[in-house]
Amino acid sequence: MEFESKGLISLDINGEVYGYKLYESLNSLSKTNSQRMSAKELNISHTVFNRRILKAEEKLGFKLTERKGNGTGLTKEGLELLNEFKKYVIQIEKTPTINIVGGHISTGLLESIDLPFKTNIYSSNDEDAFELAKRGVVDILTLDDPLIAFERDINFYPIAYDYLVLVSSPNSKKIESISDLENLDFISVSGSAQRLAWDSLKHYDISINIKESVSSQFDAYKKVKNSKNLYTFLNASYFKGNELLKFDTRHVISLVKINEDKPNIDEFIRYLTNEGQKKIEKQGFTPM
């Protein structure tokens, strides 16, 4: 699929122009997994929202959305299109505003606190966010898990600690010890800190079954809560659950400076690692 930027609010795909309204719709749906909630967020009717998606799908020749549990999420092709929109939006915005891309947990943290800086924050998983950062079109990369930085010897700035909790289906087996996890069915989240949980279970010689992999912790949470006898490990800052592997899965939420030329980047990082720590703690994270 070939994409060509025609300005801030549109993409030209095979001669058809797809504007900013489609980007807004896809971006909102990627977070809410609900057409009705997204329509409300964009202040349009559900009918208008649905027609916008269907019209784009008809022109493109592929589906942008699919059922996910009790809601609606983006297909692989829908996510690819959204990422292309994000790439060009970021490239064109040459302003003092700090452009940030990163994992769902770390960007969610930054979006939830009152920052004395103008920011544009784009949420994805760590791997997709890193691909955008490699193109040099953002100022800061945020990481839910520092593995990407460790593997590539990239300098990063820790801003908080987090850990994983075990989340289970309603009325599922009560877990009292690590051995109780043997042979249970799990949902995994790509590009998350779950690797720490899997490594820990391997260390304890516990075998589990990965039934499905999803792209966000919020998708995993919905699938687990709407299913029978499914489990997953999610960040304690956002989800309540069993702290069985609390100390095994403690990890840092971090920032990577991409743009060395924008003067307020260093000030932004200094703020988050100093006086901003109190605001970070209020969001359920452990300060540095």
Side-chain angles (χ1 to χ4, degrees), residues 9-27:
I9 63 170
S10 65
L11 287 177
D12 187 317
I13 306 175
N14 299 327
E16 294 283 353
V17 176
Y18 300 85
Y20 194 74
K21 289 183 179 179
L22 178 60
Y23 161 70
E24 283 187 323
S25 300
L26 296 177
N27 192 44

Side-chain angles (χ1 to χ4, degrees), residues 33-196:
N33 282 329
S34 166
Q35 288 199 15
R36 293 192 180 277
M37 288 179 62
S38 288
K40 184 177 180 181
E41 181 180 82
L42 299 177
N43 199 29
I44 59 176
S45 70
H46 176 255
T47 301
V48 170
F49 185 93
N50 188 52
R51 188 184 305 125
R52 184 180 293 172
I53 298 295
L54 291 175
K55 186 177 180 180
E57 288 179 337
E58 183 179 352
K59 289 183 178 180
L60 289 164
F62 54 78
K63 298 289 289 182
L64 296 173
T65 66
E66 63 184 358
R67 296 292 298 176
K68 288 193 175 182
N70 293 328
T72 303
L74 298 183
T75 62
K76 178 182 177 181
E77 292 79 8
L79 285 169
E80 288 177 354
L81 181 59
L82 175 59
N83 283 333
E84 289 299 324
F85 266 115
K86 288 180 177 180
K87 179 182 69 175
Y88 290 117
V89 167
I90 295 169
Q91 282 179 323
I92 293 167
E93 289 176 342
K94 303 298 183 181
T95 70
T97 301
I98 299 174
N99 293 313
I100 301 168
V101 65
H104 297 292
I105 300 302
S106 50
T107 55
L109 166 60
L110 297 184
E111 287 178 325
S112 66
I113 61 180
D114 182 24
L115 295 167
F117 300 87
K118 290 184 178 181
T119 60
N120 287 326
I121 301 175
Y122 305 90
S123 182
S124 183
N125 59 53
D126 277 9
E127 286 134 352
D128 289 344
F130 180 65
E131 289 303 313
L132 279 174
K134 284 199 301 185
R135 299 173 186 173
V137 296
V138 297
D139 301 312
I140 289 177
L141 168 68
T142 71
L143 295 173
D144 294 352
D145 177 9
L147 180 63
I148 285 176
F150 281 137
E151 289 180 335
R152 295 162 177 81
D153 196 26
I154 297 172
N155 185 42
F156 63 90
Y157 300 85
I159 61 171
Y161 286 112
D162 206 356
Y163 60 93
L164 303 182
V165 293
L166 177 69
V167 177
S168 59
S169 303
N171 304 316
S172 61
K173 171 186 173 182
K174 186 176 181 180
I175 305 300
E176 296 181 342
S177 67
I178 293 175
S179 61
D180 291 336
L181 300 178
E182 183 73 33
N183 289 325
L184 294 184
D185 295 333
F186 279 79
I187 298 290
S188 69
V189 182
S190 60
S192 74
Q194 278 188 347
R195 65 176 180 89
L196 298 171

